[in-house]
Amino acid sequence: MRKWAIPSALILLCLLCLIPDQGRKLQANAEEGAVDPPKVEDKIGAVPNGLQTDSDVVKRESESISKRSLRSNAEKFEFQAEVSRLMDIIINSLYSNKDIFLRELISNASDALDKIRFLSLTDKEVLGEGDDAKLEIQIKLHKEKKILSIRDRGIGMTKEDLIKNLGTIAKSGTSAFVEKMQSSGDLNLIGQFGVGFYSVYLVADYVEVISKHNDDKQYVWESKADGAFAISEDTWNEPLGRGTEIRLHLRDEAGEYLEESKLKELVKKYSEFINFPIYLWESKEVDVEAPADEDETTDEEDTSESTSSDEGEEDSEKSEDEETEKKPKTKKVKETTYEWELLNDVKAIWLRSPKDVTDEEYTKFYHSLAKDFGDEKPMAWSHFTAEGDVEFKAILFVPPKAPQDLYESYYNTKKANLKLYVRKVFISDEFDELLPKYLSFLKGLVDSDTLPLNVSREMLQQHGSLKTIKKKLIRKALDMIRKIAEEDPDESTGKEKEEVDKSSDDDEKNGQYAKFWNEFGKSIKLGIVEDATNRNRLAKLLRFESTKSDGKLTSLDQYISRMKPGQKDIFYITGTNKEQLEKSPFLERLKKKNYEVIFFMDPVDEYLMQYLMDYEDKKFQNVSKEGLKLEKDSKTKELKETFKELTKWWKGALASENVDDVKISNRLDNTPCVVVTSKFGWSANMERIMQSQTLSDSSKQGYMRGKRVLEINPRHPIVKELRERVANDPEDESLKQTAHLIYQTALMESGFMMNDPKDFANRIYSSVKSSLNVNPDAAVEEEGEVEEAEAETETKEDAGAPKVESESAEDDADTEPSAVKDEL
């Protein structure tokens, strides 16, 4: 024991001596590392969920990101047929502008944020606390894994929402967009049809949608665009709290979207006016002071010693003083840091003064608001502030083109294109009480400080201020449309045109109102029908062609300026097309007397003229109806007396045709007669429109049909000859047949539909027989039996012909191999 005691003691003593040295080294290392100690507080907020300590979360997230196949334990679904069709078009599209996917995703994120903010007006708890209460959009890149993610803290989606909204859309918008794509190939309009999400497959081949709704668990929707998608409960990703994150696994050819500069450019271009902050997780290189390496410090000291060896004692004293004040050696190094950068810091455009907003900014805002990112800018806009009992700010836009479905189910669907804000808080974009239906084509925004915030939509609809807002919006909208016409040089004539040309150097305004009328003219006409209060204002906006407009559009004011002295009525005629109307017999005398007649060729014009009875104290007169008053003819009374016997006889001969009267006409020149209707009944054009209605009932339309009056031209040779023959033999049956034929011909020429076309055809054939001196009783020669037998034989031969051909074809087929063999 004593033998080992002394060595053991020595070893223990050595160990005790080493412990202080190790302690001093640890302390020295700690002092060196304390040059710039990292502070946890500095980095809080830079990384989402920066305080997360569960290391498995990162591992599970990276595993899920790297997967390119649907999870085996997920619930599988098939896409709706129309959605699959849409996705096939998008995936196989050669559309060059793939940038739109980011615009659509940001727009959807903004909508989700709008919804949760609206719910928070009545229930503040839905927002939650901390980061969940921040209403923002975040864009993040994973360059190594080629993943682009867009996250919002919006309302989120439940499992049912994910299935309904992203897989089995039961909307007409999908099919409507597919039809539009196939006809025009314009993928740029995808947002207007509510299917913008699927634009992600322009750039991605695998998409994950992680979403958390307050009323459900967190779920993951995923699809490879192969006709199926899967949904599973999310137990591996970072908890979102609330909202949605979309991860795009980008294709190889979409690598440009992994560049931060590209994403900044797209947000600036398309989403500058989104009302929520959009952040990009951006990398930056900064210069940081870092401790210098020991080797570098030693080299610097050696260099300083060699340079100072030749200096005097004074310098050595200075260097000693400096050494006492010497600090730890550091150097500047480049370090990559990440932080959230705000991309859209533009103030809400409607809150700014109109003088401070450029035309380019208005155009960009319109594209963002209307989700219309074509090259055309809006035709006009009106930015104004209303003050008084009701205060609000508004911007109204006239789109460059009318939507395809603008007039489909016009009275049965609610279409509102105005967004309603209350004190900068978005309330609804389905508020159709702000503008009447006929102005539903306008797009824009209204922000009111008067309306209450925390009330339901139903209560808001009953609020008294809405009527005042609506009234002012209508007035501003009509003024905006009127201004398009006033600034269009093509709308002015004479001195007015010269003044407009001088004041306007913008060629874009030439023909602008004609373009507006071609797109939205029907809406103005419907406004005249629906809005009695503004009927006169709307009538000033009417445009049409006439007998003196030389193929251009003209207005009622211009028509009145060209009226003949003493003319009291505004003359018009309705029909299906201009060519037909120009040849109408109703215009013969009017043209000869140099009267101007308006052409109304739209079916809605018939309804329009039932409401537009007068304009500027001038009555409207349909020249195809009774009551047409022209210059007085001194011979009128004499002619009536001369043809009294003929008119009375003709009326009796047409008793079966339900003709109300036969009169001398003051509107004909070269035509023997026409059929006119009573002043307050349907015209021939209106009858045709009503009969073509799908659910029309002819038995109930009789009382609305105008009484038909046959007007004859007393100067026409046919009418003169008929008068003489009737005077000689009024009971002549051939004369009655001729009178019927003339009436039916006039009926057809006047635009009416024949009640009995067969009867009319028989009368024509009888007339032809008479002119060819064919016996009226001559029968049609019957087909002989021999001819029938020959026809049967020919039919049999024709039936057997294909067999011969097939046999010869077989023979040819048999000879072909041998021929080929010989060639080989």
Side-chain angles (χ1 to χ4, degrees):
M1 291 293 292
R2 288 180 182 177
K3 184 178 179 181
W4 294 101
I6 294 173
S8 299
L10 290 172
I11 291 170
L12 182 62
L13 184 63
C14 291
L15 288 171
L16 290 173
C17 293
L18 287 171
I19 287 173
D21 292 336
Q22 291 291 332
R24 279 191 295 273
K25 286 182 180 179
L26 288 171
Q27 184 177 2
N29 290 337
E31 288 174 356
E32 288 178 8
V35 174
D36 190 10
K39 294 182 180 180
V40 177
E41 292 80 10
D42 291 344
K43 294 294 181 182
I44 287 182
V47 181
N49 301 287
L51 300 179
Q52 186 81 29
T53 55
D54 186 1
S55 60
D56 293 335
V57 169
V58 178
K59 183 180 179 181
R60 288 197 299 269
E61 182 178 353
S62 62
E63 287 176 355
S64 70
I65 286 174
S66 64
K67 290 179 181 178
R68 289 272 176 165
S69 59
L70 304 184
R71 294 171 177 82
S72 57
N73 61 341
E75 189 176 355
K76 307 293 192 304
F77 298 88
E78 294 292 325
F79 278 114
Q80 186 184 15
E82 287 183 344
V83 176
S84 294
R85 187 172 158 214
L86 169 66
M87 293 171 71
D88 287 341
I89 291 175
I90 292 174
I91 293 168
N92 300 314
S93 172
L94 298 176
Y95 192 65
S96 59
N97 185 15
K98 301 181 187 296
D99 298 347
I100 62 170
F101 82 93
L102 186 62
R103 174 192 84 201
E104 297 302 328
L105 293 183
I106 290 177
S107 178
N108 291 345
S110 175
D111 292 342
L113 291 166
D114 276 328
K115 289 176 182 176
I116 195 65
R117 184 165 68 174
F118 180 67
L119 292 176
S120 69
L121 298 177
T122 52
D123 183 8
K124 293 184 178 180
E125 294 182 1
V126 297
L127 283 180
E129 299 177 352
D131 287 341
D132 289 343
K134 296 178 181 177
L135 301 181
E136 59 190 15
I137 300 168
Q138 297 176 339
I139 303 173
K140 198 170 184 179
L141 291 171
H142 301 272
K143 293 187 179 181
E144 299 79 10
K145 295 167 184 173
K146 295 183 179 179
I147 292 176
L148 171 63
S149 65
I150 295 94
R151 176 178 176 179
D152 66 74
R153 302 184 192 277
I155 194 168
M157 287 181 280
T158 63
K159 180 180 178 182
E160 292 301 318
D161 291 337
L162 287 169
I163 297 171
K164 177 183 175 183
N165 296 338
L166 302 184
T168 56
I169 299 177
K171 289 182 179 179
S172 61
T174 311
S175 57
F177 175 69
V178 170
E179 291 173 7
K180 178 71 175 176
M181 264 295 295
Q182 290 179 336
S183 62
S184 67
D186 189 3
L187 192 61
N188 207 32
L189 300 175
I190 190 169
Q192 296 183 16
F193 293 88
V195 288
F197 167 77
Y198 300 104
S199 62
V200 295
Y201 290 104
L202 288 168
V203 297
D205 52 14
Y206 175 56
V207 177
E208 292 178 285
V209 180
I210 307 159
S211 194
K212 172 68 174 73
H213 190 281
N214 285 339
D215 299 335
D216 206 346
K217 299 176 182 178
Q218 183 166 312
Y219 285 93
V220 175
W221 179 100
E222 52 184 332
S223 176
K224 296 172 67 179
D226 55 357
F229 63 96
I231 295 179
S232 53
E233 185 179 342
D234 188 4
T235 56
W236 56 88
N237 284 308
E238 167 194 325
L240 294 179
R242 186 195 68 253
T244 301
E245 180 178 348
I246 300 176
R247 293 176 182 167
L248 310 183
H249 296 252
L250 298 176
R251 299 178 182 181
D252 293 337
E253 61 269 23
E256 61 179 317
Y257 301 107
L258 292 171
E259 299 297 328
E260 293 165 1
S261 59
K262 178 67 174 178
L263 297 180
K264 284 183 182 180
E265 176 192 336
L266 294 183
V267 172
K268 183 75 174 175
K269 181 178 181 181
Y270 292 121
S271 307
E272 184 178 10
F273 297 102
I274 292 292
N275 295 320
F276 297 96
I278 302 172
Y279 291 98
L280 175 65
W281 186 242
E282 187 181 24
S283 61
K284 290 184 178 179
E285 286 192 349
V286 295
D287 292 331
V288 180
E289 294 286 342
D293 295 338
E294 290 184 4
D295 295 340
E296 293 179 3
T297 306
T298 306
D299 293 341
E300 289 177 2
E301 288 177 355
D302 293 342
T303 304
S304 61
E305 286 178 4
S306 62
T307 53
S308 60
S309 58
D310 298 333
E311 294 180 357
E313 294 179 357
E314 294 179 4
D315 292 335
S316 63
E317 289 177 3
K318 283 184 180 181
S319 62
E320 288 176 3
D321 294 337
E322 288 174 2
E323 284 177 3
T324 58
E325 299 177 0
K326 190 179 292 183
K327 296 180 180 179
K329 293 288 184 180
T330 60
K331 65 175 182 178
K332 288 187 177 182
V333 295
K334 296 285 185 180
E335 183 176 298
T336 302
T337 62
Y338 290 87
E339 62 182 18
W340 291 111
E341 181 183 357
L342 181 63
L343 301 183
N344 60 333
D345 54 354
V346 179
K347 183 182 177 182
I349 197 170
W350 65 90
L351 300 178
R352 296 157 60 186
S353 170
K355 297 178 181 178
D356 300 334
V357 185
T358 64
D359 290 356
E360 185 180 358
E361 287 178 311
Y362 278 123
T363 302
K364 283 185 178 180
F365 181 68
Y366 165 76
H367 288 157
S368 173
L369 183 74
K371 297 182 179 179
D372 175 10
F373 292 89
D375 296 330
E376 294 185 90
K377 64 184 212 178
M379 290 191 198
W381 55 80
S382 178
H383 182 187
F384 60 94
T385 300
E387 298 178 348
D389 296 338
V390 178
E391 295 184 357
F392 67 92
K393 297 176 177 64
I395 301 181
L396 300 176
F397 291 95
V398 178
K401 289 184 179 179
Q404 283 186 322
D405 60 345
L406 179 59
Y407 303 111
E408 292 178 10
S409 303
Y410 178 79
Y411 288 105
N412 298 327
T413 56
K414 292 185 176 181
K415 295 179 182 177
N417 288 314
L418 285 190
K419 291 180 180 289
L420 176 63
Y421 285 74
V422 175
R423 297 167 206 163
K424 306 183 195 70
V425 177
F426 175 74
I427 301 298
S428 175
D429 57 358
E430 298 178 353
F431 216 74
D432 56 348
E433 285 78 11
L434 290 172
L435 280 176
K437 277 187 178 293
Y438 70 89
L439 289 177
S440 62
F441 65 88
L442 296 177
K443 299 184 185 294
L445 176 149
V446 178
D447 188 352
S448 173
D449 294 333
T450 308
L451 294 173
L453 258 177
N454 54 348
V455 295
S456 66
R457 186 166 175 258
E458 289 72 20
M459 290 179 65
L460 200 58
Q461 288 174 340
Q462 304 300 323
H463 200 275
S465 299
L466 271 183
K467 290 183 178 179
T468 306
I469 294 175
K470 182 176 182 178
K471 186 177 179 181
K472 291 184 177 181
L473 286 175
I474 293 173
R475 191 175 70 248
K476 286 290 186 180
L478 297 183
D479 287 344
M480 173 176 60
I481 296 170
R482 177 180 52 80
K483 194 175 179 182
I484 299 176
E486 289 178 350
E487 294 179 352
D488 186 352
D490 292 347
E491 283 290 308
S492 306
T493 56
K495 293 182 179 179
E496 293 180 1
K497 187 169 185 177
E498 292 178 5
E499 291 176 2
V500 173
D501 288 338
K502 289 178 182 178
S503 62
S504 175
D505 297 329
D506 194 352
D507 293 336
E508 292 181 2
K509 293 180 179 178
N510 286 329
Q512 273 292 88
Y513 195 76
K515 181 182 176 184
F516 166 83
W517 184 257
N518 292 332
E519 296 290 338
F520 306 106
K522 190 173 290 187
S523 294
I524 301 300
K525 295 175 181 179
L526 289 169
I528 293 175
V529 174
E530 299 169 8
D531 191 351
T533 305
N534 294 292
R535 188 164 290 157
N536 195 56
R537 285 186 176 187
L538 288 162
K540 288 183 178 295
L541 302 175
L542 271 179
R543 294 296 182 270
F544 42 80
E545 290 187 56
S546 74
T547 53
K548 292 186 178 181
S549 65
D550 296 326
K552 296 181 180 179
L553 294 175
T554 188
S555 65
L556 287 173
D557 289 328
Q558 290 171 343
Y559 178 96
I560 291 175
S561 69
R562 294 192 292 262
M563 284 176 66
K564 290 181 66 176
Q567 182 182 342
K568 296 180 180 179
D569 296 336
I570 298 174
F571 299 127
Y572 73 93
I573 186 171
T574 60
T576 54
N577 59 72
K578 183 181 176 183
E579 291 73 20
Q580 179 190 5
L581 293 178
E582 284 179 329
K583 298 174 183 177
S584 173
F586 295 107
L587 304 185
E588 290 177 354
R589 194 78 179 276
L590 291 161
K591 283 183 177 179
K592 190 173 183 179
K593 296 283 187 180
N594 199 29
Y595 286 102
E596 184 174 6
V597 182
I598 296 169
F599 296 143
F600 283 130
M601 298 167 284
D602 195 335
V604 75
D605 292 333
E606 287 285 356
Y607 301 93
L608 164 71
M609 298 314 295
Q610 292 177 23
Y611 291 87
L612 190 61
M613 307 301 293
D614 57 77
Y615 179 79
E616 300 292 341
D617 298 327
K618 305 288 184 183
K619 299 287 185 182
F620 284 92
Q621 173 63 52
N622 189 335
V623 299
S624 67
K625 289 187 176 185
E626 279 188 313
L628 180 64
K629 295 178 182 178
L630 300 176
E631 299 168 358
K632 289 184 179 181
D633 190 345
S634 59
K635 297 182 180 180
T636 303
K637 288 184 179 181
E638 183 182 340
L639 287 171
K640 284 183 179 179
E641 190 64 32
T642 305
F643 285 85
K644 184 177 181 180
E645 185 180 352
L646 176 62
T647 55
K648 185 179 179 181
W649 173 85
W650 212 333
K651 181 179 179 181
L654 299 176
S656 61
E657 299 285 353
N658 195 26
V659 175
D660 187 61
D661 201 359
V662 179
K663 295 180 178 180
I664 300 297
S665 178
N666 65 339
R667 69 187 87 208
L668 296 176
D669 185 44
N670 300 318
T671 304
C673 53
V674 290
V675 178
V676 300
T677 57
S678 57
K679 190 164 187 177
F680 298 103
W682 285 345
S683 65
N685 189 51
M686 188 64 173
E687 271 192 36
R688 187 169 53 251
I689 291 170
M690 295 307 296
Q691 288 177 9
S692 63
Q693 298 295 317
T694 307
L695 302 176
S696 64
D697 186 352
S698 58
S699 63
K700 296 179 180 179
Q701 293 176 358
Y703 73 96
M704 280 304 297
R705 286 199 183 99
K707 293 180 180 180
R708 295 177 181 176
V709 176
L710 177 64
E711 289 191 359
I712 61 175
N713 183 359
R715 299 173 182 83
H716 200 280
I718 291 178
V719 177
K720 286 182 177 182
E721 181 66 24
L722 195 61
R723 181 180 69 85
E724 291 179 5
R725 293 199 180 192
V726 168
N728 294 331
D729 187 4
E731 300 300 325
D732 187 352
E733 195 63 32
S734 64
L735 282 178
K736 291 182 180 180
Q737 293 293 329
T738 303
H740 267 280
L741 183 58
I742 293 173
Y743 168 73
Q744 288 178 327
T745 305
L747 196 69
M748 187 171 62
E749 189 179 18
S750 301
F752 292 93
M753 297 180 70
M754 303 293 295
N755 293 330
D756 189 356
K758 182 63 177 175
D759 180 61
F760 174 67
N762 287 336
R763 294 182 191 278
I764 290 290
Y765 294 142
S766 297
S767 178
V768 171
K769 283 180 181 180
S770 177
S771 65
L772 296 175
N773 295 322
V774 176
N775 188 350
D777 299 326
V780 178
E781 184 179 348
E782 294 184 3
E783 190 174 3
E785 295 180 0
V786 178
E787 293 178 357
E788 290 180 2
E790 289 178 357
E792 289 179 3
T793 305
E794 289 176 0
T795 305
K796 289 180 180 179
E797 289 177 356
D798 292 341
K803 292 183 180 179
V804 176
E805 290 178 4
S806 63
E807 289 174 2
S808 63
E810 289 176 3
D811 293 340
D812 293 342
D814 292 338
T815 58
E816 278 179 7
S818 61
V820 173
K821 206 170 184 181
D822 292 340
E823 286 180 10
L824 292 173

